[in-house]
Amino acid sequence: VSELSDYNRYRRLVALVTKRNIQYLDITNRGRIGTPNATNIDHIYSILRGFLDGINPEIIGSIHNLRVIDAVENVKKQENCAISKQELLEKYYENKKYT
């Protein structure tokens, strides 16, 4: 049970960081499946995988791990990752040098 609460706490932290960073994305037609051409914010490296791999919530919710994708595609992706852990960390730390 404590693992579940740890995961929920992690998800909340990621959500706070994500909310801070989505302002930098070009979001058009954000919505749910069923809304024509709806888009969602996607965590390229999933929140669940980030939790299991012990990745800092700041990295999972960073602009370097966010993208706008079709809502249907996002639901199909579920908890899968579109990049490897190494790719995520390289992208984050390489770009962090310039921010």
Side-chain angles (χ1 to χ4, degrees):
V1 176
S2 70
E3 187 173 318
L4 180 60
S5 62
D6 288 346
Y7 177 60
N8 286 335
R9 189 171 23 263
Y10 182 86
R11 282 175 43 122
R12 283 195 300 272
L13 290 171
V14 170
L16 288 171
V17 176
T18 300
K19 188 174 183 176
R20 196 173 62 220
N21 287 306
I22 60 174
Q23 64 182 322
Y24 302 109
L25 296 173
D26 182 20
I27 306 169
T28 55
N29 204 27
R30 189 170 178 193
R32 298 177 178 264
I33 291 180
T35 304
N37 303 313
T39 59
N40 287 167
I41 304 299
D42 175 51
H43 292 85
I44 304 166
Y45 196 86
S46 78
I47 297 170
L48 176 61
R49 193 77 246 163
F51 172 74
L52 294 173
D53 290 344
I55 299 174
N56 187 318
E58 285 286 332
I59 296 173
I60 297 298
S62 77
I63 191 67
H64 311 295
N65 190 45
L66 300 176
R67 65 180 175 173
V68 178
I69 64 172
D70 180 80
V72 173
E73 182 183 343
N74 196 32
V75 169
K76 287 180 185 175
K77 179 181 170 270
Q78 295 181 339
E79 300 299 337
N80 294 314
C81 299
I83 59 173
S84 70
K85 179 179 176 180
Q86 181 177 345
E87 289 171 314
L88 169 64
L89 295 176
E90 286 174 359
K91 187 176 175 184
Y92 178 81
Y93 287 111
E94 181 62 32
N95 287 299
K96 196 73 171 150
K97 292 178 189 176
Y98 306 106
T99 57

